[in-house]
């Protein structure tokens, strides 16, 4: 923003625990799965739910919930989401 110092801007930082060095991160860009985040390291891709107070007036603080891990045995270079991914359907559908 012009005319504002970075220290004057309202910045948000959130973190959550990870078991290994994270090499790739991707939020789902689709409405029905917009709370999902996938992050990958040397041997797995983890899928979690992230909710932010800036986006959801029902929560007061950052919400993080780990859902599952996919162990692939190789270093994760990139992550892409399917439009079919959803946490609103039972059972959870992650593709």
């Amino acid at each position: 923003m012009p005319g504002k110092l970075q220290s004057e801007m309202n910045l948000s930082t959130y973190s959550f625990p990870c078991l290994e060095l994270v090499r790739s991160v991707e939020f789902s860009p689709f409405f029905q799965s917009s709370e999902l985040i996938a992050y990958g390291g040397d041997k797995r891709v983890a899928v979690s739910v992230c909710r932010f107070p800036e986006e959801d007036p029902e929560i007061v603080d950052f919400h993080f919930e780990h859902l599952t891990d996919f162990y692939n045995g190789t270093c994760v270079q990139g992550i892409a989401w399917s439009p079919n991914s959803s946490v609103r359907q039972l059972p959870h559908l992650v593709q």
Side-chain angles (χ1 to χ4, degrees), residues 42-76:
D42 290 332
K43 297 182 189 227
R44 71 184 180 111
V45 174
V47 178
S48 302
V49 172
C50 286
R51 292 175 58 202
F52 302 94
E54 297 90 348
E55 297 175 355
D56 188 344
E58 295 180 12
I59 63 171
V60 177
D61 200 9
F62 172 68
H63 171 80
F64 175 83
E65 178 185 354
H66 180 261
L67 296 177
T68 192
D69 290 324
F70 297 97
Y71 289 91
N72 59 349
T74 187
C75 183
V76 177

PDB file of all heavy atoms in Angstrom, residues 42-76:
ATOM      1  N   ASP A  42       9.485 -34.782   2.351  1.00  0.00           N
ATOM      2  CA  ASP A  42      10.344 -35.777   1.722  1.00  0.00           C
ATOM      3  C   ASP A  42       9.637 -37.083   1.400  1.00  0.00           C
ATOM      4  O   ASP A  42       9.998 -37.763   0.451  1.00  0.00           O
ATOM      5  CB  ASP A  42      11.550 -36.072   2.622  1.00  0.00           C
ATOM      6  CG  ASP A  42      12.508 -34.906   2.670  1.00  0.00           C
ATOM      7  OD1 ASP A  42      12.571 -34.142   1.687  1.00  0.00           O
ATOM      8  OD2 ASP A  42      13.193 -34.738   3.700  1.00  0.00           O
ATOM      9  N   LYS A  43       8.613 -37.460   2.177  1.00  0.00           N
ATOM     10  CA  LYS A  43       8.009 -38.778   1.985  1.00  0.00           C
ATOM     11  C   LYS A  43       6.494 -38.810   2.046  1.00  0.00           C
ATOM     12  O   LYS A  43       5.886 -39.857   1.924  1.00  0.00           O
ATOM     13  CB  LYS A  43       8.544 -39.746   3.042  1.00  0.00           C
ATOM     14  CG  LYS A  43      10.021 -39.948   2.921  1.00  0.00           C
ATOM     15  CD  LYS A  43      10.512 -40.940   3.931  1.00  0.00           C
ATOM     16  CE  LYS A  43      11.969 -40.908   3.887  1.00  0.00           C
ATOM     17  NZ  LYS A  43      12.887 -41.732   3.843  1.00  0.00           N
ATOM     18  N   ARG A  44       5.848 -37.650   2.256  1.00  0.00           N
ATOM     19  CA  ARG A  44       4.402 -37.702   2.427  1.00  0.00           C
ATOM     20  C   ARG A  44       3.749 -36.381   2.033  1.00  0.00           C
ATOM     21  O   ARG A  44       4.395 -35.343   1.950  1.00  0.00           O
ATOM     22  CB  ARG A  44       4.037 -38.017   3.873  1.00  0.00           C
ATOM     23  CG  ARG A  44       4.325 -36.853   4.798  1.00  0.00           C
ATOM     24  CD  ARG A  44       4.047 -37.192   6.239  1.00  0.00           C
ATOM     25  NE  ARG A  44       4.341 -36.047   7.062  1.00  0.00           N
ATOM     26  CZ  ARG A  44       3.448 -35.330   7.700  1.00  0.00           C
ATOM     27  NH1 ARG A  44       2.187 -35.648   7.659  1.00  0.00           N
ATOM     28  NH2 ARG A  44       3.811 -34.289   8.413  1.00  0.00           N
ATOM     29  N   VAL A  45       2.431 -36.458   1.844  1.00  0.00           N
ATOM     30  CA  VAL A  45       1.583 -35.279   1.681  1.00  0.00           C
ATOM     31  C   VAL A  45       0.581 -35.320   2.826  1.00  0.00           C
ATOM     32  O   VAL A  45      -0.080 -36.341   3.041  1.00  0.00           O
ATOM     33  CB  VAL A  45       0.841 -35.280   0.325  1.00  0.00           C
ATOM     34  CG1 VAL A  45      -0.138 -34.127   0.247  1.00  0.00           C
ATOM     35  CG2 VAL A  45       1.825 -35.230  -0.832  1.00  0.00           C
ATOM     36  N   ALA A  46       0.487 -34.253   3.569  1.00  0.00           N
ATOM     37  CA  ALA A  46      -0.469 -34.146   4.665  1.00  0.00           C
ATOM     38  C   ALA A  46      -1.625 -33.256   4.221  1.00  0.00           C
ATOM     39  O   ALA A  46      -1.420 -32.261   3.522  1.00  0.00           O
ATOM     40  CB  ALA A  46       0.197 -33.560   5.901  1.00  0.00           C
ATOM     41  N   VAL A  47      -2.826 -33.623   4.599  1.00  0.00           N
ATOM     42  CA  VAL A  47      -4.018 -32.834   4.287  1.00  0.00           C
ATOM     43  C   VAL A  47      -4.658 -32.415   5.607  1.00  0.00           C
ATOM     44  O   VAL A  47      -4.862 -33.242   6.495  1.00  0.00           O
ATOM     45  CB  VAL A  47      -5.020 -33.633   3.426  1.00  0.00           C
ATOM     46  CG1 VAL A  47      -6.272 -32.815   3.161  1.00  0.00           C
ATOM     47  CG2 VAL A  47      -4.367 -34.063   2.117  1.00  0.00           C
ATOM     48  N   SER A  48      -4.972 -31.133   5.700  1.00  0.00           N
ATOM     49  CA  SER A  48      -5.530 -30.572   6.930  1.00  0.00           C
ATOM     50  C   SER A  48      -6.606 -29.556   6.604  1.00  0.00           C
ATOM     51  O   SER A  48      -6.737 -29.119   5.463  1.00  0.00           O
ATOM     52  CB  SER A  48      -4.427 -29.895   7.744  1.00  0.00           C
ATOM     53  OG  SER A  48      -3.408 -30.813   8.054  1.00  0.00           O
ATOM     54  N   VAL A  49      -7.350 -29.171   7.628  1.00  0.00           N
ATOM     55  CA  VAL A  49      -8.341 -28.104   7.525  1.00  0.00           C
ATOM     56  C   VAL A  49      -7.785 -26.892   8.247  1.00  0.00           C
ATOM     57  O   VAL A  49      -7.286 -27.000   9.367  1.00  0.00           O
ATOM     58  CB  VAL A  49      -9.679 -28.527   8.181  1.00  0.00           C
ATOM     59  CG1 VAL A  49     -10.639 -27.349   8.247  1.00  0.00           C
ATOM     60  CG2 VAL A  49     -10.302 -29.685   7.429  1.00  0.00           C
ATOM     61  N   CYS A  50      -7.844 -25.740   7.603  1.00  0.00           N
ATOM     62  CA  CYS A  50      -7.437 -24.465   8.203  1.00  0.00           C
ATOM     63  C   CYS A  50      -8.614 -23.507   8.115  1.00  0.00           C
ATOM     64  O   CYS A  50      -9.200 -23.329   7.042  1.00  0.00           O
ATOM     65  CB  CYS A  50      -6.261 -23.839   7.454  1.00  0.00           C
ATOM     66  SG  CYS A  50      -4.704 -24.622   7.746  1.00  0.00           S
ATOM     67  N   ARG A  51      -8.952 -22.897   9.229  1.00  0.00           N
ATOM     68  CA  ARG A  51      -9.986 -21.859   9.249  1.00  0.00           C
ATOM     69  C   ARG A  51      -9.395 -20.630   9.914  1.00  0.00           C
ATOM     70  O   ARG A  51      -8.734 -20.729  10.941  1.00  0.00           O
ATOM     71  CB  ARG A  51     -11.217 -22.350  10.000  1.00  0.00           C
ATOM     72  CG  ARG A  51     -11.922 -23.465   9.248  1.00  0.00           C
ATOM     73  CD  ARG A  51     -13.084 -24.057  10.001  1.00  0.00           C
ATOM     74  NE  ARG A  51     -14.077 -23.056  10.325  1.00  0.00           N
ATOM     75  CZ  ARG A  51     -14.962 -23.187  11.300  1.00  0.00           C
ATOM     76  NH1 ARG A  51     -14.973 -24.273  12.040  1.00  0.00           N
ATOM     77  NH2 ARG A  51     -15.830 -22.237  11.543  1.00  0.00           N
ATOM     78  N   PHE A  52      -9.653 -19.487   9.307  1.00  0.00           N
ATOM     79  CA  PHE A  52      -9.078 -18.229   9.765  1.00  0.00           C
ATOM     80  C   PHE A  52     -10.170 -17.298  10.282  1.00  0.00           C
ATOM     81  O   PHE A  52     -11.241 -17.208   9.680  1.00  0.00           O
ATOM     82  CB  PHE A  52      -8.322 -17.548   8.618  1.00  0.00           C
ATOM     83  CG  PHE A  52      -7.235 -18.400   8.051  1.00  0.00           C
ATOM     84  CD1 PHE A  52      -7.467 -19.210   6.944  1.00  0.00           C
ATOM     85  CD2 PHE A  52      -5.977 -18.392   8.621  1.00  0.00           C
ATOM     86  CE1 PHE A  52      -6.456 -19.995   6.429  1.00  0.00           C
ATOM     87  CE2 PHE A  52      -4.964 -19.181   8.105  1.00  0.00           C
ATOM     88  CZ  PHE A  52      -5.202 -19.987   7.006  1.00  0.00           C
ATOM     89  N   PRO A  53      -9.901 -16.572  11.368  1.00  0.00           N
ATOM     90  CA  PRO A  53     -10.920 -15.667  11.913  1.00  0.00           C
ATOM     91  C   PRO A  53     -11.283 -14.542  10.949  1.00  0.00           C
ATOM     92  O   PRO A  53     -12.397 -14.033  10.992  1.00  0.00           O
ATOM     93  CB  PRO A  53     -10.283 -15.125  13.195  1.00  0.00           C
ATOM     94  CG  PRO A  53      -8.838 -15.418  13.091  1.00  0.00           C
ATOM     95  CD  PRO A  53      -8.687 -16.585  12.174  1.00  0.00           C
ATOM     96  N   GLU A  54     -10.379 -14.195  10.047  1.00  0.00           N
ATOM     97  CA  GLU A  54     -10.672 -13.148   9.057  1.00  0.00           C
ATOM     98  C   GLU A  54     -11.713 -13.599   8.035  1.00  0.00           C
ATOM     99  O   GLU A  54     -12.386 -12.783   7.422  1.00  0.00           O
ATOM    100  CB  GLU A  54      -9.397 -12.738   8.300  1.00  0.00           C
ATOM    101  CG  GLU A  54      -8.330 -12.140   9.156  1.00  0.00           C
ATOM    102  CD  GLU A  54      -7.369 -13.180   9.724  1.00  0.00           C
ATOM    103  OE1 GLU A  54      -7.640 -14.394   9.640  1.00  0.00           O
ATOM    104  OE2 GLU A  54      -6.345 -12.762  10.271  1.00  0.00           O
ATOM    105  N   GLU A  55     -11.850 -14.916   7.865  1.00  0.00           N
ATOM    106  CA  GLU A  55     -12.767 -15.460   6.862  1.00  0.00           C
ATOM    107  C   GLU A  55     -14.018 -16.094   7.455  1.00  0.00           C
ATOM    108  O   GLU A  55     -14.973 -16.346   6.738  1.00  0.00           O
ATOM    109  CB  GLU A  55     -12.028 -16.496   6.011  1.00  0.00           C
ATOM    110  CG  GLU A  55     -10.874 -15.890   5.231  1.00  0.00           C
ATOM    111  CD  GLU A  55     -10.080 -16.953   4.497  1.00  0.00           C
ATOM    112  OE1 GLU A  55     -10.365 -18.154   4.670  1.00  0.00           O
ATOM    113  OE2 GLU A  55      -9.174 -16.570   3.746  1.00  0.00           O
ATOM    114  N   ASP A  56     -14.004 -16.395   8.753  1.00  0.00           N
ATOM    115  CA  ASP A  56     -15.136 -17.068   9.383  1.00  0.00           C
ATOM    116  C   ASP A  56     -15.476 -16.377  10.701  1.00  0.00           C
ATOM    117  O   ASP A  56     -14.762 -16.526  11.691  1.00  0.00           O
ATOM    118  CB  ASP A  56     -14.784 -18.539   9.632  1.00  0.00           C
ATOM    119  CG  ASP A  56     -15.962 -19.359  10.108  1.00  0.00           C
ATOM    120  OD1 ASP A  56     -16.983 -18.761  10.535  1.00  0.00           O
ATOM    121  OD2 ASP A  56     -15.881 -20.595  10.067  1.00  0.00           O
ATOM    122  N   PRO A  57     -16.562 -15.618  10.751  1.00  0.00           N
ATOM    123  CA  PRO A  57     -16.909 -14.877  11.970  1.00  0.00           C
ATOM    124  C   PRO A  57     -17.281 -15.777  13.150  1.00  0.00           C
ATOM    125  O   PRO A  57     -17.352 -15.313  14.282  1.00  0.00           O
ATOM    126  CB  PRO A  57     -18.092 -14.016  11.544  1.00  0.00           C
ATOM    127  CG  PRO A  57     -18.641 -14.656  10.335  1.00  0.00           C
ATOM    128  CD  PRO A  57     -17.520 -15.397   9.672  1.00  0.00           C
ATOM    129  N   GLU A  58     -17.500 -17.077  12.912  1.00  0.00           N
ATOM    130  CA  GLU A  58     -17.864 -17.994  13.984  1.00  0.00           C
ATOM    131  C   GLU A  58     -16.678 -18.425  14.837  1.00  0.00           C
ATOM    132  O   GLU A  58     -16.865 -18.973  15.915  1.00  0.00           O
ATOM    133  CB  GLU A  58     -18.546 -19.231  13.402  1.00  0.00           C
ATOM    134  CG  GLU A  58     -19.874 -18.941  12.742  1.00  0.00           C
ATOM    135  CD  GLU A  58     -20.509 -20.194  12.175  1.00  0.00           C
ATOM    136  OE1 GLU A  58     -20.037 -21.300  12.478  1.00  0.00           O
ATOM    137  OE2 GLU A  58     -21.480 -20.055  11.427  1.00  0.00           O
ATOM    138  N   ILE A  59     -15.458 -18.208  14.361  1.00  0.00           N
ATOM    139  CA  ILE A  59     -14.294 -18.610  15.145  1.00  0.00           C
ATOM    140  C   ILE A  59     -13.527 -17.381  15.617  1.00  0.00           C
ATOM    141  O   ILE A  59     -13.538 -16.337  14.975  1.00  0.00           O
ATOM    142  CB  ILE A  59     -13.364 -19.564  14.364  1.00  0.00           C
ATOM    143  CG1 ILE A  59     -12.766 -18.884  13.124  1.00  0.00           C
ATOM    144  CG2 ILE A  59     -14.076 -20.825  13.988  1.00  0.00           C
ATOM    145  CD1 ILE A  59     -11.695 -19.694  12.455  1.00  0.00           C
ATOM    146  N   VAL A  60     -12.882 -17.500  16.758  1.00  0.00           N
ATOM    147  CA  VAL A  60     -12.158 -16.388  17.359  1.00  0.00           C
ATOM    148  C   VAL A  60     -10.673 -16.451  17.016  1.00  0.00           C
ATOM    149  O   VAL A  60     -10.021 -15.440  16.827  1.00  0.00           O
ATOM    150  CB  VAL A  60     -12.345 -16.389  18.891  1.00  0.00           C
ATOM    151  CG1 VAL A  60     -11.536 -15.287  19.543  1.00  0.00           C
ATOM    152  CG2 VAL A  60     -13.806 -16.277  19.243  1.00  0.00           C
ATOM    153  N   ASP A  61     -10.136 -17.678  16.932  1.00  0.00           N
ATOM    154  CA  ASP A  61      -8.714 -17.861  16.701  1.00  0.00           C
ATOM    155  C   ASP A  61      -8.516 -18.826  15.536  1.00  0.00           C
ATOM    156  O   ASP A  61      -9.441 -19.534  15.127  1.00  0.00           O
ATOM    157  CB  ASP A  61      -8.061 -18.408  17.974  1.00  0.00           C
ATOM    158  CG  ASP A  61      -6.563 -18.201  18.024  1.00  0.00           C
ATOM    159  OD1 ASP A  61      -6.040 -17.490  17.158  1.00  0.00           O
ATOM    160  OD2 ASP A  61      -5.927 -18.756  18.931  1.00  0.00           O
ATOM    161  N   PHE A  62      -7.310 -18.890  15.025  1.00  0.00           N
ATOM    162  CA  PHE A  62      -6.933 -19.807  13.952  1.00  0.00           C
ATOM    163  C   PHE A  62      -7.262 -21.238  14.347  1.00  0.00           C
ATOM    164  O   PHE A  62      -6.969 -21.680  15.458  1.00  0.00           O
ATOM    165  CB  PHE A  62      -5.432 -19.637  13.683  1.00  0.00           C
ATOM    166  CG  PHE A  62      -4.849 -20.639  12.745  1.00  0.00           C
ATOM    167  CD1 PHE A  62      -5.203 -20.651  11.411  1.00  0.00           C
ATOM    168  CD2 PHE A  62      -3.923 -21.568  13.195  1.00  0.00           C
ATOM    169  CE1 PHE A  62      -4.657 -21.568  10.546  1.00  0.00           C
ATOM    170  CE2 PHE A  62      -3.366 -22.489  12.332  1.00  0.00           C
ATOM    171  CZ  PHE A  62      -3.727 -22.490  10.999  1.00  0.00           C
ATOM    172  N   HIS A  63      -7.895 -21.986  13.442  1.00  0.00           N
ATOM    173  CA  HIS A  63      -8.270 -23.379  13.693  1.00  0.00           C
ATOM    174  C   HIS A  63      -7.522 -24.270  12.707  1.00  0.00           C
ATOM    175  O   HIS A  63      -7.559 -24.037  11.502  1.00  0.00           O
ATOM    176  CB  HIS A  63      -9.781 -23.567  13.522  1.00  0.00           C
ATOM    177  CG  HIS A  63     -10.205 -24.992  13.552  1.00  0.00           C
ATOM    178  ND1 HIS A  63     -10.365 -25.694  14.721  1.00  0.00           N
ATOM    179  CD2 HIS A  63     -10.505 -25.853  12.551  1.00  0.00           C
ATOM    180  CE1 HIS A  63     -10.745 -26.929  14.437  1.00  0.00           C
ATOM    181  NE2 HIS A  63     -10.829 -27.045  13.121  1.00  0.00           N
ATOM    182  N   PHE A  64      -6.840 -25.289  13.215  1.00  0.00           N
ATOM    183  CA  PHE A  64      -6.100 -26.243  12.390  1.00  0.00           C
ATOM    184  C   PHE A  64      -6.463 -27.646  12.826  1.00  0.00           C
ATOM    185  O   PHE A  64      -6.454 -27.960  14.018  1.00  0.00           O
ATOM    186  CB  PHE A  64      -4.590 -26.025  12.550  1.00  0.00           C
ATOM    187  CG  PHE A  64      -3.757 -27.034  11.818  1.00  0.00           C
ATOM    188  CD1 PHE A  64      -3.486 -26.867  10.472  1.00  0.00           C
ATOM    189  CD2 PHE A  64      -3.251 -28.141  12.474  1.00  0.00           C
ATOM    190  CE1 PHE A  64      -2.715 -27.798   9.789  1.00  0.00           C
ATOM    191  CE2 PHE A  64      -2.485 -29.077  11.797  1.00  0.00           C
ATOM    192  CZ  PHE A  64      -2.219 -28.896  10.459  1.00  0.00           C
ATOM    193  N   GLU A  65      -6.793 -28.506  11.856  1.00  0.00           N
ATOM    194  CA  GLU A  65      -7.117 -29.898  12.153  1.00  0.00           C
ATOM    195  C   GLU A  65      -6.492 -30.793  11.087  1.00  0.00           C
ATOM    196  O   GLU A  65      -6.825 -30.702   9.907  1.00  0.00           O
ATOM    197  CB  GLU A  65      -8.634 -30.100  12.164  1.00  0.00           C
ATOM    198  CG  GLU A  65      -9.057 -31.517  12.411  1.00  0.00           C
ATOM    199  CD  GLU A  65     -10.562 -31.706  12.286  1.00  0.00           C
ATOM    200  OE1 GLU A  65     -11.291 -30.715  12.119  1.00  0.00           O
ATOM    201  OE2 GLU A  65     -10.994 -32.866  12.348  1.00  0.00           O
ATOM    202  N   HIS A  66      -5.571 -31.655  11.514  1.00  0.00           N
ATOM    203  CA  HIS A  66      -4.932 -32.593  10.592  1.00  0.00           C
ATOM    204  C   HIS A  66      -5.925 -33.696  10.247  1.00  0.00           C
ATOM    205  O   HIS A  66      -6.555 -34.270  11.140  1.00  0.00           O
ATOM    206  CB  HIS A  66      -3.672 -33.181  11.249  1.00  0.00           C
ATOM    207  CG  HIS A  66      -2.968 -34.148  10.382  1.00  0.00           C
ATOM    208  ND1 HIS A  66      -3.120 -35.500  10.520  1.00  0.00           N
ATOM    209  CD2 HIS A  66      -2.120 -33.965   9.343  1.00  0.00           C
ATOM    210  CE1 HIS A  66      -2.402 -36.107   9.619  1.00  0.00           C
ATOM    211  NE2 HIS A  66      -1.776 -35.200   8.892  1.00  0.00           N
ATOM    212  N   LEU A  67      -6.084 -33.996   8.950  1.00  0.00           N
ATOM    213  CA  LEU A  67      -7.034 -35.020   8.527  1.00  0.00           C
ATOM    214  C   LEU A  67      -6.362 -36.353   8.207  1.00  0.00           C
ATOM    215  O   LEU A  67      -6.772 -37.389   8.715  1.00  0.00           O
ATOM    216  CB  LEU A  67      -7.808 -34.543   7.294  1.00  0.00           C
ATOM    217  CG  LEU A  67      -8.693 -33.322   7.482  1.00  0.00           C
ATOM    218  CD1 LEU A  67      -9.337 -32.930   6.159  1.00  0.00           C
ATOM    219  CD2 LEU A  67      -9.746 -33.571   8.537  1.00  0.00           C
ATOM    220  N   THR A  68      -5.346 -36.321   7.343  1.00  0.00           N
ATOM    221  CA  THR A  68      -4.721 -37.577   6.925  1.00  0.00           C
ATOM    222  C   THR A  68      -3.362 -37.315   6.296  1.00  0.00           C
ATOM    223  O   THR A  68      -3.044 -36.179   5.941  1.00  0.00           O
ATOM    224  CB  THR A  68      -5.628 -38.340   5.929  1.00  0.00           C
ATOM    225  OG1 THR A  68      -5.132 -39.658   5.752  1.00  0.00           O
ATOM    226  CG2 THR A  68      -5.720 -37.631   4.597  1.00  0.00           C
ATOM    227  N   ASP A  69      -2.590 -38.390   6.163  1.00  0.00           N
ATOM    228  CA  ASP A  69      -1.313 -38.360   5.464  1.00  0.00           C
ATOM    229  C   ASP A  69      -1.359 -39.357   4.320  1.00  0.00           C
ATOM    230  O   ASP A  69      -1.952 -40.432   4.455  1.00  0.00           O
ATOM    231  CB  ASP A  69      -0.159 -38.764   6.392  1.00  0.00           C
ATOM    232  CG  ASP A  69       0.139 -37.732   7.453  1.00  0.00           C
ATOM    233  OD1 ASP A  69       0.031 -36.531   7.149  1.00  0.00           O
ATOM    234  OD2 ASP A  69       0.484 -38.119   8.576  1.00  0.00           O
ATOM    235  N   PHE A  70      -0.721 -38.997   3.226  1.00  0.00           N
ATOM    236  CA  PHE A  70      -0.522 -39.903   2.104  1.00  0.00           C
ATOM    237  C   PHE A  70       0.985 -40.110   1.987  1.00  0.00           C
ATOM    238  O   PHE A  70       1.716 -39.177   1.661  1.00  0.00           O
ATOM    239  CB  PHE A  70      -1.075 -39.312   0.804  1.00  0.00           C
ATOM    240  CG  PHE A  70      -2.553 -39.093   0.830  1.00  0.00           C
ATOM    241  CD1 PHE A  70      -3.073 -37.840   1.121  1.00  0.00           C
ATOM    242  CD2 PHE A  70      -3.430 -40.133   0.584  1.00  0.00           C
ATOM    243  CE1 PHE A  70      -4.439 -37.627   1.144  1.00  0.00           C
ATOM    244  CE2 PHE A  70      -4.802 -39.926   0.622  1.00  0.00           C
ATOM    245  CZ  PHE A  70      -5.309 -38.674   0.900  1.00  0.00           C
ATOM    246  N   TYR A  71       1.440 -41.330   2.276  1.00  0.00           N
ATOM    247  CA  TYR A  71       2.861 -41.632   2.196  1.00  0.00           C
ATOM    248  C   TYR A  71       3.171 -42.122   0.789  1.00  0.00           C
ATOM    249  O   TYR A  71       2.641 -43.129   0.342  1.00  0.00           O
ATOM    250  CB  TYR A  71       3.242 -42.685   3.238  1.00  0.00           C
ATOM    251  CG  TYR A  71       3.195 -42.133   4.636  1.00  0.00           C
ATOM    252  CD1 TYR A  71       2.040 -42.208   5.399  1.00  0.00           C
ATOM    253  CD2 TYR A  71       4.304 -41.494   5.180  1.00  0.00           C
ATOM    254  CE1 TYR A  71       1.994 -41.679   6.676  1.00  0.00           C
ATOM    255  CE2 TYR A  71       4.265 -40.959   6.461  1.00  0.00           C
ATOM    256  CZ  TYR A  71       3.107 -41.060   7.199  1.00  0.00           C
ATOM    257  OH  TYR A  71       3.064 -40.523   8.458  1.00  0.00           O
ATOM    258  N   ASN A  72       4.040 -41.372   0.102  1.00  0.00           N
ATOM    259  CA  ASN A  72       4.381 -41.730  -1.263  1.00  0.00           C
ATOM    260  C   ASN A  72       5.837 -42.166  -1.400  1.00  0.00           C
ATOM    261  O   ASN A  72       6.240 -42.615  -2.464  1.00  0.00           O
ATOM    262  CB  ASN A  72       4.076 -40.577  -2.222  1.00  0.00           C
ATOM    263  CG  ASN A  72       4.820 -39.308  -1.866  1.00  0.00           C
ATOM    264  OD1 ASN A  72       5.400 -39.217  -0.795  1.00  0.00           O
ATOM    265  ND2 ASN A  72       4.799 -38.341  -2.739  1.00  0.00           N
ATOM    266  N   GLY A  73       6.645 -42.019  -0.358  1.00  0.00           N
ATOM    267  CA  GLY A  73       8.007 -42.508  -0.374  1.00  0.00           C
ATOM    268  C   GLY A  73       8.976 -41.716  -1.230  1.00  0.00           C
ATOM    269  O   GLY A  73      10.096 -42.145  -1.452  1.00  0.00           O
ATOM    270  N   THR A  74       8.568 -40.572  -1.701  1.00  0.00           N
ATOM    271  CA  THR A  74       9.445 -39.736  -2.528  1.00  0.00           C
ATOM    272  C   THR A  74       9.203 -38.266  -2.200  1.00  0.00           C
ATOM    273  O   THR A  74       8.168 -37.915  -1.638  1.00  0.00           O
ATOM    274  CB  THR A  74       9.222 -40.011  -4.023  1.00  0.00           C
ATOM    275  OG1 THR A  74      10.198 -39.306  -4.785  1.00  0.00           O
ATOM    276  CG2 THR A  74       7.835 -39.603  -4.461  1.00  0.00           C
ATOM    277  N   CYS A  75      10.130 -37.433  -2.558  1.00  0.00           N
ATOM    278  CA  CYS A  75      10.046 -35.996  -2.272  1.00  0.00           C
ATOM    279  C   CYS A  75       8.896 -35.349  -3.062  1.00  0.00           C
ATOM    280  O   CYS A  75       8.749 -35.574  -4.265  1.00  0.00           O
ATOM    281  CB  CYS A  75      11.374 -35.339  -2.627  1.00  0.00           C
ATOM    282  SG  CYS A  75      11.433 -33.595  -2.233  1.00  0.00           S
ATOM    283  N   VAL A  76       8.090 -34.559  -2.384  1.00  0.00           N
ATOM    284  CA  VAL A  76       6.960 -33.878  -3.013  1.00  0.00           C
ATOM    285  C   VAL A  76       7.465 -32.608  -3.703  1.00  0.00           C
ATOM    286  O   VAL A  76       8.049 -31.744  -3.059  1.00  0.00           O
ATOM    287  CB  VAL A  76       5.875 -33.533  -1.971  1.00  0.00           C
ATOM    288  CG1 VAL A  76       4.741 -32.757  -2.609  1.00  0.00           C
ATOM    289  CG2 VAL A  76       5.368 -34.793  -1.299  1.00  0.00           C
TER     290      VAL A  76
END
